[in-house]
Amino acid sequence: MSKLDDIVSLCKRRGFIFPGSDVYGGFAGTWDFGPLGVMLKNRIMQEWWKFFVDDREDIYGIDAAIIMNPKTWEASGHTATFADPLIECKECKSRFRADKIADGINESVTTEQFLATHTKCPVCGKESWGPIRKFNMMFSTHVGAVLPDDDEELANKNIAYLRPETAQGIFTNYKNVVDTIYPDLPFGLAQQGKAFRNEISPRDFILRDRECSQMEIEYFVNPTTWEENFEKMRNLQHVFLEQVIGLPKESIHEYEVPVANRAHYSKRTIDFMFDYPNGEEELMGLAYRTDFDLSNIAKASGKSMDYRDKKTNQVFVPHVIEPSIGVERLFLAVFSAAYTEDEIDGNKRIVLKLPTNLAPYRYCVSPLLKNKPELVAKAQEVYQALRHKYSNVTWDDSGNIGKRYRKQDEIGTPECIVIDFETLENDTITVRDRDTAKQKRIPIAEL
Ligand code: GAP
């Protein structure tokens, strides 16, 4: 089994992540977060929000609708260009994203360039390909009570899309925010929420999904200052990923994206790559989107997106620096950096060395023996007091102590507290450290 298989298996076994619609055999590209997973995911999202919004004076939050006026996607260029190269094997009819099955090509590959790579079909092994077609990745839906059977033309007019990026919910609210809270430039608008992409080949567990969550900031700047603000945002991403989230610095690599591979709106992009179990993959992107979006919205809506600088009276359309990260990709980075197999006293174990600020549970409290009412009562007292203080504290009185430790190691609980007979005499408890498996005895009051 690969390390990724081990992670998928642990995620299911301990209730972090289940395949989407598991009971019906799954649904490709979708995943459901279980009780432990949702705790870890929420902590990651809360840390991001605290770092980029609550602790700053220049970034504000918004929460826009997922289904937006379809004009949004015309103006943003997604209707015309948000497409991947789809290729079909003429022999077995399997379909693939061309740039993911051949080496040395990118998303803008032509049929001729693809054929020149002499790639064989990953399913049937033949080399018999149809032409490359552009496959738009937006999910469409019909809004309102008209069905194609009633009136196809009207129904087509009512087609809307599930947003493929949260960013447009920010751009389309830029004017509302400027007109209501008059922020000074530079300022940012941040949003967390679902985004949907009809990926041709969802893969690598939660790395490439059809439904994911993004955390995005559009940082509006005076165009003359875009370079310094790009650097500022670039540095902030490192601080967040390495110091707040605790990812190993050496596993993060910056990749300057060449023109041919950049999204249609970007004049500069740095992808932050991470060493995932299956190799280096994009964790997040930092893009200089210029005034592409605001100017297109101005054209499409007829509304001015001008900003008047309060000090200089200068009027211009702000330019935008955009850090964008997928929650699932960050979750997988955190999980794979924490996943460790080692040996304690000759016994193999799996241990999730999560940073304390992200671990689902801060402490696990147990009575040494489940059948001694005096131990259980004292342990409950400690448990309730800790829950009151930290909230994320769990109780475990199942099996023997060794089994409890194994379970807490696997879900990343930093410390396990055991109430024993000595506790009843002198109000001390044992605290076992997850990473070293060492125990110490301390007074309850020190917790
Ligand atoms: N607003 C810019 C934007 O959406 P992107 O590079 O297409 O840019 C940004 O996506 C981030 O969203 C990616 O770096 C990745 O973390 C996450 N992401 C994109 N597509 C994803 C998918 N299919 N599954 C999981 N995460 C995805």
Side-chain angles (χ1 to χ4, degrees):
M1 277 218 316
S2 71
K3 180 172 172 186
L4 189 62
D5 292 335
D6 292 335
I7 288 174
V8 176
S9 145
L10 176 63
C11 278
K12 182 155 190 194
R13 192 170 72 247
R14 291 296 183 194
F16 282 94
I17 298 178
F18 308 119
S21 314
D22 200 15
V23 76
Y24 294 113
F27 198 55
T30 68
W31 297 91
D32 296 342
F33 286 79
L36 272 288
V38 92
M39 283 192 247
L40 176 51
K41 181 181 173 190
N42 283 348
R43 279 190 219 302
I44 290 173
M45 293 175 80
Q46 284 156 2
E47 289 289 10
W48 186 90
W49 195 264
K50 182 174 182 316
F51 182 78
F52 286 110
V53 184
D54 290 344
D55 287 354
R56 298 184 64 88
E57 292 180 344
D58 59 345
I59 302 188
Y60 309 88
I62 71 155
D63 188 11
I66 288 177
I67 303 178
M68 302 177 69
N69 188 315
K71 285 182 188 160
T72 309
W73 311 110
E74 294 286 341
S76 69
H78 283 78
T79 314
T81 61
F82 193 59
D84 276 342
L86 175 71
I87 196 149
E88 184 176 294
C89 169
K90 287 200 273 191
E91 205 63 34
C92 71
K93 307 290 175 220
S94 299
R95 292 180 170 193
F96 305 95
R97 204 177 128 172
D99 58 324
K100 293 292 170 197
I101 56 167
D103 289 332
I105 56 171
N106 60 41
E107 297 97 350
S108 35
V109 61
T110 61
T111 305
E112 292 67 37
Q113 287 165 338
F114 180 81
L115 294 180
T117 63
H118 294 292
T119 301
K120 301 215 171 355
C121 171
V123 173
C124 69
K126 300 269 166 41
E127 194 187 322
S128 166
W129 298 106
I132 286 188
R133 286 177 295 161
K134 285 284 174 199
F135 176 75
N136 194 296
M137 290 198 292
M138 286 198 290
F139 277 104
S140 61
T141 184
H142 289 270
V143 173
V146 181
L147 299 170
D149 283 355
D150 304 333
D151 181 338
E152 198 172 341
E153 206 182 321
L154 192 57
N156 283 345
K157 277 194 193 142
N158 289 352
I159 286 179
Y161 301 95
L162 302 184
R163 65 182 179 200
E165 60 168 8
T166 61
Q168 294 304 324
I170 298 181
F171 289 122
T172 50
N173 276 293
Y174 153 85
K175 189 173 160 49
N176 284 336
V177 173
V178 170
D179 290 349
T180 48
I181 64 167
Y182 317 109
D184 285 330
L185 277 190
F187 75 89
L189 293 179
Q191 178 167 220
Q192 300 182 329
K194 293 273 187 180
F196 303 83
R197 298 178 179 195
N198 197 0
E199 296 282 353
I200 297 171
S201 333
R203 64 181 171 84
D204 287 339
F205 191 27
I206 53 172
L207 198 79
R208 189 170 295 285
D209 312 316
R210 293 195 167 127
E211 177 180 331
C212 67
S213 298
Q214 289 185 317
M215 305 191 281
E216 302 199 293
I217 297 168
E218 307 307 323
Y219 198 64
F220 300 95
V221 305
N222 185 314
T224 56
T225 65
W226 80 265
E227 276 153 316
E228 67 201 63
N229 281 301
F230 191 91
E231 281 311 304
K232 182 166 96 178
M233 278 296 143
R234 180 183 188 174
N235 291 335
L236 276 176
Q237 305 316 306
H238 282 287
V239 176
F240 173 69
L241 295 173
E242 292 155 24
Q243 292 172 29
V244 179
I245 295 297
L247 293 181
K249 196 179 165 66
E250 61 281 7
S251 302
I252 300 169
H253 314 282
E254 286 191 4
Y255 168 66
E256 184 78 47
V257 180
V259 189
N261 291 10
R262 274 187 226 140
H264 58 280
Y265 49 71
S266 176
K267 271 225 172 120
R268 184 177 180 197
T269 300
I270 293 180
D271 280 346
F272 286 59
M273 313 295 286
F274 185 78
D275 293 326
Y276 286 101
N278 279 5
E280 196 180 289
E281 290 281 356
E282 178 187 325
L283 166 62
M284 63 162 292
L286 177 68
Y288 168 42
R289 286 181 85 132
T290 67
D291 60 348
F292 178 88
D293 300 274
L294 289 186
S295 292
N296 282 346
I297 291 173
K299 274 185 230 138
S301 67
K303 302 211 171 90
S304 168
M305 295 293 132
D306 282 352
Y307 180 89
R308 180 180 293 278
D309 190 292
K310 286 173 213 156
K311 285 194 205 105
T312 63
N313 249 349
Q314 199 193 352
V315 176
F316 53 87
V317 176
H319 280 211
V320 171
I321 312 295
E322 178 199 65
S324 171
I325 187 161
V327 177
E328 289 77 8
R329 292 209 185 167
L330 186 51
F331 186 109
L332 189 57
V334 166
F335 211 95
S336 46
Y339 183 95
T340 314
E341 290 177 8
D342 63 12
E343 238 179 75
I344 296 289
D345 301 330
N347 296 316
K348 286 202 168 128
R349 68 162 184 168
I350 293 173
V351 53
L352 209 54
K353 296 187 175 178
L354 291 172
T356 305
N357 60 329
L358 300 182
Y361 295 116
R362 172 72 189 83
Y363 293 111
C364 172
V365 181
S366 296
L368 179 65
L369 299 167
K370 193 182 171 177
N371 58 0
K372 296 285 172 202
E374 62 277 34
L375 288 185
V376 175
K378 185 71 185 171
Q380 268 294 327
E381 197 185 293
V382 174
Y383 170 61
Q384 295 303 343
L386 281 178
R387 266 186 72 80
H388 190 67
K389 192 168 171 187
Y390 297 98
S391 80
N392 59 330
V393 179
T394 185
W395 169 266
D396 194 356
D397 60 7
S398 61
N400 61 37
I401 281 286
K403 275 202 181 132
R404 291 180 212 164
Y405 286 157
R406 287 298 95 83
K407 175 179 167 194
Q408 297 304 322
D409 287 346
E410 289 196 3
I411 64 173
T413 308
E415 288 177 316
C416 288
I417 292 166
V418 173
I419 279 70
D420 55 17
F421 292 104
E422 208 180 318
T423 315
L424 304 178
E425 285 163 23
N426 60 12
D427 263 352
T428 60
I429 37 111
T430 64
V431 180
R432 175 201 181 258
D433 178 81
R434 174 195 67 198
D435 298 347
T436 60
K438 296 240 157 53
Q439 293 185 35
K440 60 182 180 188
R441 182 167 282 279
I442 59 163
I444 293 175
E446 270 183 31
L447 285 172

